[in-house]
Amino acid sequence: MTDISASGSVAATGGKDGTGRTGMNGMTPGVRIAFLCVLVGAICLALSPYQAWIRTWPAALTLPATEWIGAGLTTLFEFLKPAARSLARLLEYPMAGANRLLVGSPYALTIGVFTALGWHIGGIRMAALALAGLGFVLASGYWIASMNTLGLVFVSVPLALIVGGLIGVLAHEICSLRRAIETVLDIMQTVPTFAYLTPLLLLFGFGPVVGLIASVIYAAPPMARNVLLGLKRVEPDIREAAIMNGATRSQQLLLVEIPSAGRQIMVGVNQTIMAALSMVIIAAVIGGFNDIGWEVLLTMRKAAFGQSLIAGVVIVIFAILADRMSSALARDGKRHSWKVTASILLAAVVIALFQNSALPAAQDFAAFKSAAAVIDRSLGAFIAANGVILDGVKNGTMFFVLLPLRIGLEKAVLPFTWGFQWTTGISIAVFSIATVAAIVLALRNHAVAGLSLLIATGILVTGITNLPWPFVLVALGGLGWLAGGTKLSVFAVSMTGAILSIGLWEPALLSIYLCTASVLICVAVGGAIGAGCAVSENAWRVMRPVCDFLQTIPLFVFLIPVLMFFQIGEFSAFLAICAYAIVPMIRYTHHGLTSTPDELIEAAVASGASEWQVMREVRIPYSAPTILLGLNQTILYAFSMLVIAALIGTTDLGQQIYLALGQGDVGLGVAAGASMAILALVADRLIQGFAARQRHALGL
């Protein structure tokens, strides 16, 4: 069994290049890169006390990029502003119409229409979900604010679908533009949402139109990607049949290919609706109008967590309804009786006719006002009774996990936290132990693991935010070269060097630190949960709806529970990021481990492998590409949430974006947003490169 499992593991991980094991022919590329990183890191640590430029980029070499960007965009905006303001005034008409329709319509009619739609596309369960959900919205007292939000969604979604659909068709039809369009889509989805708002405010003026346009920018890429994917997957036989029947290119596209790609396109519709709903809530920070996002933000600022929680539940209800209904429309499922649909609509019309005389006005409902007061009192009592425990969890995590990772053990280990003082002698001892362990691993043909241990030790002692910039650039360049060759290496170094040169290196390192801490927890906890769900089908039955629920909740809402118990601060931001980013790791780990071919598992079992050996030697190596993609998504999710977490007390690039929004500093906002997008893009390209190498090694 040992020989079989060992050979299977090596084959699955790409042999010497994949594992980094040394052999008779000399060092592998992985060993050379790891050794270079150790060498550069050691030189930087030795020289940094005497050469300040190693840790801090010289101010004389810092480009005034924020000023340049601000001046350039201001000049451009002055030229574009008349046209933009005209467009804003034009877009106000459909928005005002949607608001008048939804706010002015009797709530009984609105609830009836959605209930009837739910019945028609999903049966009794969907109808009950719509009725109960909108009934809660009405009873909460947030009906008017919710309809304002829904009106913005009603206008933004069609625009996003049109823009995204046209981009997807263009990318499919003009192959030479496809790569450039995909890059633009990556940028649109990786640039933080807050970064859109600063330039849009200057261009279009203050008001809900800014939220509308930002929503379209954010929600169009999912539609474009799914249209492109759907058109690429159309069977060649279908295209050939259209050509044989004399169809022109436009007829092929409109009458054959787009209908054939309908299911994938409807998935894009679902994702666009969810993205639009998430973005219009984020746009509430500009205070454009009285929508539900503004209610959440206002109650959070007042520490009225009872009302904030109820408003957050309203947002979750809209997100769940939007997700379930659009998903049902995307499926080619059975449509239910038109007679029942018509009966529900008729009943809604009848009730609406008598609403003014028989029912309270929408703004008079406040069924949960007392519940909000009870929540606040209960929360206060809970914190008073368990404040010591909560502070212990918060301070313990900060002092023993986050702070060492941020500023290093040298500065974080102090008598009042750890009980002793870190000294130079301790550093020497730690590095000596790590060196011995690295030598032992190298002698056992695990040189990369040994050198990686040395690198991790240096990072832990120094701290992520204190890492010398030459080491970071060399490490990223080396990882890029291993993952995708020279091109990816140059991309990683040049993009990261751009952040360094414009003076945003320190907040960028803070972003990397908080993202790294969150991702490590997500990988450990999410990976363990995903592996447990792969082993136990019952565990997956429990976790799947939890994952569905967490992925449905808009980012904004994750802030409410952490603020309720831990107040504003870095720890609360850390928890919110973990809660949002853990789901991809669970899903991809479960999917990867359960998609291992049965014949591989049967061969291992026939060779006498235990369940643990099958997991370690067969399932995990085979699922590595999928798990890496889960890691990629986890990192991107963490960066997305990082900007939202700036609202509750981070000091990274997200905070720079938020400050720029408050100050109207378009240069800083764009530069910080671009820097955040660069970090996300570099991480995305590196992990995709390693995943591609692993798939190639597996012959996939």
Side-chain angles (χ1 to χ4, degrees), residues 85-375:
R85 296 297 168 91
S86 299
L87 177 61
R89 287 191 292 270
L90 185 64
L91 290 173
E92 285 175 358
Y93 289 106
M95 291 184 62
N99 284 342
R100 279 196 298 268
L101 175 65
L102 290 167
V103 175
S105 297
Y107 55 77
L109 181 61
T110 303
I111 294 174
V113 168
F114 279 98
T115 303
L117 177 62
W119 161 263
H120 184 63
I121 64 177
I124 186 65
R125 294 180 64 181
M126 190 74 73
L129 179 64
L131 180 61
L134 292 178
F136 180 92
V137 174
L138 177 63
S140 70
Y142 288 121
W143 183 263
I144 303 299
S146 299
M147 291 303 103
N148 283 330
T149 296
L150 199 58
L152 195 53
V153 172
F154 273 20
V155 179
S156 64
V157 167
L159 289 175
L161 293 178
I162 293 170
V163 172
L166 291 175
I167 292 173
V169 170
L170 182 66
H172 179 261
E173 292 298 296
I174 307 177
C175 296
S176 59
L177 294 178
R178 185 174 302 170
R179 182 60 183 168
I181 290 174
E182 289 178 341
T183 301
V184 172
L185 293 176
D186 287 341
I187 294 172
M188 289 171 69
Q189 286 194 296
T190 52
V191 170
T193 49
F194 279 171
Y196 297 155
L197 299 180
T198 307
L200 291 179
L201 273 174
L202 296 180
L203 193 57
F204 292 96
F206 183 82
V209 170
V210 175
L212 170 67
I213 296 172
S215 177
V216 172
I217 294 173
Y218 184 68
M223 186 62 185
R225 291 187 186 281
N226 280 279
V227 168
L228 177 59
L229 181 61
L231 292 175
K232 286 167 64 176
R233 288 181 174 178
V234 174
E235 295 292 336
D237 293 345
I238 296 176
R239 292 195 180 96
E240 291 171 4
I243 295 172
M244 293 290 291
N245 282 281
T248 64
R249 180 59 199 139
S250 60
Q251 289 173 327
Q252 292 174 43
L253 182 66
L254 296 175
L255 301 179
V256 178
E257 294 183 14
I258 290 179
S260 299
R263 179 174 295 184
Q264 188 67 47
I265 291 173
M266 287 305 298
V267 172
V269 172
N270 170 261
Q271 294 179 359
T272 297
I273 292 173
M274 299 303 294
L277 180 62
S278 176
M279 187 61 202
V280 297
I281 293 168
I282 292 170
V285 297
I286 64 172
F289 68 136
N290 180 30
D291 67 342
I292 193 63
W294 177 249
E295 292 292 340
V296 172
L297 185 63
L298 187 64
T299 50
M300 281 199 307
R301 286 174 174 173
K302 293 179 179 178
F305 291 116
Q307 283 298 119
S308 182
L309 187 62
I310 292 171
V313 172
V314 169
I315 294 175
V316 172
I317 287 172
F318 274 115
I320 292 173
L321 285 175
D323 179 59
R324 298 295 185 270
M325 287 188 167
S326 57
S327 296
L329 286 171
R331 295 192 297 267
D332 296 329
K334 175 185 176 182
R335 298 298 181 240
H336 294 75
S337 169
W338 276 106
K339 293 181 179 179
V340 176
T341 304
S343 299
I344 296 172
L345 287 173
L346 180 60
V349 170
V350 172
I351 295 173
L353 289 174
F354 297 97
Q355 176 180 305
N356 291 337
S357 59
L359 296 173
Q363 60 269 24
D364 293 336
F365 283 90
F368 300 106
K369 188 173 183 179
S370 58
V374 170
I375 290 172

Side-chain angles (χ1 to χ4, degrees), residues 374-651:
V374 170
I375 290 172
D376 286 332
R377 286 197 301 270
S378 301
L379 179 63
F382 178 83
I383 292 175
N386 300 279
V388 175
I389 297 175
L390 294 175
D391 286 342
V393 172
K394 179 179 179 179
N395 294 333
T397 305
M398 286 298 301
F399 291 149
F400 297 105
V401 180
L402 296 180
L403 204 57
L405 196 60
R406 177 178 178 176
I407 62 175
L409 291 171
E410 273 187 333
K411 296 182 178 179
V413 176
L414 298 170
F416 79 95
T417 55
W418 289 61
F420 66 93
Q421 180 69 50
W422 190 275
T423 63
T424 304
I426 295 176
S427 295
I428 294 172
V430 168
F431 279 114
S432 298
I433 294 171
T435 302
V436 171
I439 293 172
V440 171
L441 288 170
L443 292 175
R444 295 185 177 183
N445 289 335
H446 293 286
V448 168
L451 292 169
S452 298
L453 175 63
L454 276 176
I455 294 170
T457 302
I459 293 173
L460 191 58
V461 172
T462 304
I464 291 177
T465 58
N466 293 322
L467 288 176
W469 60 265
F471 168 78
V472 176
L473 294 183
V474 169
L476 288 175
L479 289 173
W481 187 71
L482 286 175
T486 304
K487 187 175 180 181
L488 183 54
S489 177
V490 171
F491 172 80
V493 173
S494 60
M495 290 292 97
T496 312
I499 301 175
L500 184 67
S501 65
I502 64 176
L504 291 175
W505 186 247
E506 290 185 9
L509 287 180
L510 285 167
S511 297
I512 293 173
Y513 138 72
L514 198 51
C515 184
T516 300
S518 305
V519 168
L520 288 175
I521 295 298
C522 290
V523 168
V525 178
I529 294 174
C533 292
V535 173
S536 171
E537 188 63 30
N538 290 330
W540 180 236
R541 290 195 188 99
V542 174
M543 282 305 304
R544 183 173 181 176
V546 174
C547 291
D548 290 342
F549 178 72
L550 289 175
Q551 283 198 304
T552 303
I553 299 175
L555 283 73
F556 218 58
V557 182
F558 282 92
L559 304 183
I560 299 173
V562 296
L563 283 177
M564 289 172 65
F565 294 102
F566 297 103
Q567 289 78 49
I568 289 176
E570 195 171 277
F571 180 68
S572 295
F574 166 73
L575 289 181
I577 296 169
C578 290
Y580 180 66
I582 196 172
V583 175
M585 202 66 215
I586 296 174
R587 285 191 182 280
Y588 279 83
T589 301
H590 170 265
H591 176 69
L593 294 175
T594 54
S595 61
T596 306
D598 293 337
E599 56 268 22
L600 291 181
I601 298 175
E602 291 169 2
V605 172
S607 299
S610 64
E611 186 173 342
W612 165 245
Q613 288 174 318
V614 170
M615 177 67 74
R616 185 185 64 189
E617 305 291 348
V618 179
R619 285 192 174 190
I620 291 177
Y622 189 87
S623 63
T626 304
I627 294 175
L628 280 173
L629 292 178
L631 174 61
N632 180 33
Q633 290 297 303
T634 297
I635 293 173
L636 294 179
Y637 273 45
F639 274 114
S640 297
M641 191 66 195
L642 202 60
V643 183
I644 310 302
L647 291 169
I648 58 174
T650 61
T651 56

